Amino acid sequence: NLKAGTQAGSSGLHRQLVTAKSIVDDLTVQVREMSLALRPTLLDDMGLYPALDWLFERHTKETGQRIVFTHSELADQRFNPAVETAIFRIIQEILIDVVDAQLKDHDPMMTIPNQIESMLSVRVWHQDNRLHFAFQDQDSTSGLTQALGDDNISNLYSLQERAILLGGKLVMQTEADQRSFVTAFFPLDQPGDR
């Protein structure tokens, strides 16, 4: 028991045990953060809308990048857990790629949080027994165009594959004005709907 070992013994051993306990405590916090970032329990407990709302608030707090989130037919509804998870993870991956693109194109002294001054919009809606989302940049400096670039092609294919595996479709496009968007739909008549 590390705690008991830190209270007794020689001073050298005592310091080592205190250091070990500190490392274990730090690792525990990191594992909890990673687990939360990968799949928040909010997604399982409350559904897609609260989980996305939490994700966007956290993203804005950590990066400064604002996200306009609109939805219809979403609040207080639960959908196929596999579809909810896929949409959450795809949007989460896109946000991670956007931040990576922003950091790659800026001064190496730029640090997060609160230094990305651009805006994204995400719309999620339920229509015709499908769950749809549209992810769009509001200006060409958001990082979405860079995130959808050739440097990131293998990750983009994995996002499309995730949609296809659930009978859906994901489309990524960059317009002539360098504004980009990602749209997707997922059928809700698959087994596992709630």
Side-chain angles (χ1 to χ4, degrees), residues 74-88:
L74 191 61
D76 302 323
Q77 285 201 44
R78 295 303 307 264
F79 302 100
N80 177 329
V83 169
E84 288 185 338
T85 299
I87 289 175
F88 181 86

Side-chain angles (χ1 to χ4, degrees), residues 55-69 91-103 106 110-122 135-147:
L55 177 65
F56 300 148
E57 284 181 25
R58 184 174 183 192
H59 177 80
T60 298
K61 181 180 176 185
E62 291 177 356
T63 68
Q65 186 170 45
R66 293 174 294 142
I67 299 174
V68 176
F69 178 36
I91 290 173
Q92 183 182 44
E93 280 294 321
I94 293 169
L95 287 175
I96 290 168
D97 291 345
V98 163
V99 170
D100 287 347
Q102 284 278 346
L103 292 176
H106 283 83
M110 178 180 164
T111 58
I112 291 186
N114 299 322
Q115 296 210 7
I116 299 177
E117 296 182 9
S118 61
M119 188 167 37
L120 299 165
S121 67
V122 178
F135 193 112
Q136 181 177 342
D137 54 10
Q138 295 296 313
D139 56 66
S140 60
T141 65
S142 71
L144 184 57
T145 298
Q146 298 87 334

